[in-house]
């Protein structure tokens, strides 16, 4: 059976997810329909989803070993550079969909198989290592801002928890859209980097110079009260994560008195990914990258992500 190099979850370890990571040989990806194709991966990027998988969240023991990774850019069977949309129709899943590395092998490998409809052209001028940052974290941020957050109706945006992939993407995108952006971080060094992206950096819980029309919330319980207090009348608070607690206290009197909208979202559609790719290519906007490592050092990429010190995306260059 043909084999390839891959990074995969070989077991689960909630206390030390890095101990559950294996880099080694796996079979070539299988096709699950006549419309499936194999993509030669040229670049991928890591997400916290990969660490959760190593902890056993969203996977069952009988699915192991599971190749990790949601994001990729690569080369299709005809030799065209493409970006992989990672959401796969999955009738067996209660959501009817899944993300690569949940039911089907992921992108941290030499090759990945997906339906042909999941391939989008890589825009000219956009490097594969940049495009590989977009399909999960940046797509989520794009949908939070546009489809769910109606950012075109907003003058000011608050992004909670600068440094993570989604939050950093939201800062860069909202700034490129010409919005006044405020961003919080407990880390002074990250607050300094926020300013370079065009945002005003503030400490968590600090009073803002103005109330905002849109809040990008990925932190959860630790910041949600501040999000409510910072919201202008009829503002939208869009939630796509809860890295610091998923059960915040919510002052409902503030919600109804200020007529606030609390909206949940995750990922995005192929059309939204296409719009994001076009926006980045036309505006010259490039994803914030913490570092780029060759696939031979993929374990180093996981160590870096697990450290919690990242600012932007950790990228794996398969061609290096």
């Amino acid at each position: 059976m043909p084999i390839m190099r891959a990074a995969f979850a070989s077991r689960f370890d909630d206390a030390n997810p890095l101990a559950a990571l294996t880099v080694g040989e796996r079979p070539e990806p299988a096709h699950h329909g006549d419309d499936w194709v194999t993509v030669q991966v040229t670049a991928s990027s890591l997400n916290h989803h990969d660490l959760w998988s190593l902890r056993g969240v969203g996977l069952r023991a009988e699915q192991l070993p599971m190749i990790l990774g949601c994001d990729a850019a690569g080369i299709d069977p005809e030799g065209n550079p493409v970006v992989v949309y990672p959401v796969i129709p999955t009738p067996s899943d209660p959501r009817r969909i899944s993300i690569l590395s949940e039911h089907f092998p992921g992108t941290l490998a030499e090759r990945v198989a997906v339906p042909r409809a999941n391939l989008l052209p890589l825009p000219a001028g956009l490097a594969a290592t940049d495009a590989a940052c977009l399909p999960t974290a940046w797509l989520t941020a794009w949908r939070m801002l546009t489809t769910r957050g109606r950012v075109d109706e907003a003058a000011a945006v608050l992004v909670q928890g600068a440094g993570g992939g989604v939050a950093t993407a939201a800062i860069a995108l909202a700034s490129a859209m010409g919005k006044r952006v405020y961003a919080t971080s407990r880390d002074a060094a990250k607050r300094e980097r926020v300013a370079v992206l065009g945002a005003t950096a503030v400490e968590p819980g600090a009073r803002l110079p103005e109330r905002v029309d849109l809040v990008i919330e990925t932190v959860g319980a630790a910041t949600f009260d501040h999000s409510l207090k910072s919201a202008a009348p009829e503002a939208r608070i869009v939630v796509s994560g809860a890295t610091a607690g998923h059960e915040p206290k919510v002052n409902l009197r503030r919600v109804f008195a200020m007529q606030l909208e609390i909206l949940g979202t995750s990922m995005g559609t192929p059309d939204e990914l296409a719009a994001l790719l076009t926006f980045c290519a036309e505006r010259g906007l490039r994803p914030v990258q913490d570092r780029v490592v060759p696939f031979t050092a993929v374990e180093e990429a996981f160590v870096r992500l697990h450290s919690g010190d990242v600012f932007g995306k950790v990228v794996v260059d398969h061609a290096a």
Side-chain angles (χ1 to χ4, degrees):
M1 178 180 294
I3 56 175
M4 62 180 183
R5 294 282 291 173
F8 53 93
S10 53
R11 60 187 180 92
F12 301 136
D13 193 322
D14 185 50
N16 181 19
L18 298 181
L21 174 68
T22 299
V23 178
E25 296 181 340
R26 293 298 301 147
E28 290 282 332
H31 290 187
H32 297 273
D34 293 340
D35 60 332
W36 283 57
V37 296
T38 297
V39 174
Q40 183 77 31
V41 178
T42 53
S44 59
S45 69
L46 270 60
N47 295 281
H48 282 282
H49 184 279
D50 301 310
L51 294 177
W52 287 115
S53 296
L54 291 168
R55 290 187 170 102
V57 178
L59 286 176
R60 303 183 306 276
E62 58 265 29
Q63 294 176 279
L64 298 178
M66 174 61 77
I67 297 175
L68 302 169
C70 309
D71 294 335
I75 305 297
D76 73 8
E78 290 70 46
N80 303 304
V82 294
V83 181
V84 177
Y85 175 66
V87 180
I88 309 294
T90 312
S92 62
D93 190 284
R95 301 165 297 175
R96 313 299 292 176
I97 59 171
S98 67
I99 302 171
L100 286 172
S101 76
E102 291 181 341
H103 289 273
F104 304 102
T107 59
L108 287 170
E110 293 181 67
R111 287 169 289 282
V112 64
V114 295
R116 185 176 286 276
N118 284 57
L119 303 184
L120 283 73
L122 175 67
L126 197 62
T129 47
D130 290 326
C133 298
L134 302 180
T136 299
W138 275 66
L139 177 59
T140 298
W142 177 265
R143 181 175 174 82
M144 293 177 81
L145 288 165
T146 57
T147 306
R148 300 295 273 165
R150 306 194 304 276
V151 70
D152 55 322
E153 302 173 15
V157 178
L158 168 63
V159 180
Q160 297 283 20
V166 174
T168 306
I171 295 166
L173 287 166
S175 296
M177 294 170 180
K179 307 300 176 180
R180 294 189 299 277
V181 183
Y182 303 94
T184 66
S185 177
R186 294 173 298 175
D187 188 315
K190 289 181 180 179
R191 291 197 297 273
E192 290 181 7
R193 296 191 67 175
V194 159
V196 176
L197 297 178
T200 299
V202 297
E203 294 185 10
R207 186 182 182 90
L208 303 183
E210 61 180 319
R211 286 180 170 169
V212 301
D213 309 297
L214 174 58
V215 181
I216 300 300
E217 177 64 80
T218 63
V219 179
T223 58
F224 207 80
D225 186 62
H226 182 242
S227 294
L228 289 169
K229 291 177 178 177
S230 302
E234 300 185 354
R236 282 79 61 201
I237 301 174
V238 186
V239 184
S240 71
T243 57
H246 65 280
E247 294 183 336
K249 290 184 178 180
V250 178
N251 185 338
L252 291 178
R253 288 179 294 184
R254 183 177 292 274
V255 173
F256 65 72
M258 299 289 282
Q259 301 188 65
L260 304 178
E261 298 179 50
I262 301 174
L263 305 163
T265 193
S266 127
M267 296 298 293
T269 67
D271 287 344
E272 287 167 334
L273 179 55
L276 171 61
L277 288 164
T278 299
F279 183 89
C280 290
E282 292 182 349
R283 301 291 184 94
L285 180 62
R286 298 297 179 263
V288 181
Q289 297 179 353
D290 181 85
R291 63 187 54 195
V292 179
V293 303
F295 184 77
T296 53
V298 68
E299 292 107 324
E300 176 188 324
F302 274 86
V303 170
R304 178 63 180 170
L305 181 64
H306 186 248
S307 74
D309 294 329
V310 297
F311 190 89
K313 296 290 290 181
V314 178
V315 182
V316 179
D317 186 348
H318 294 235

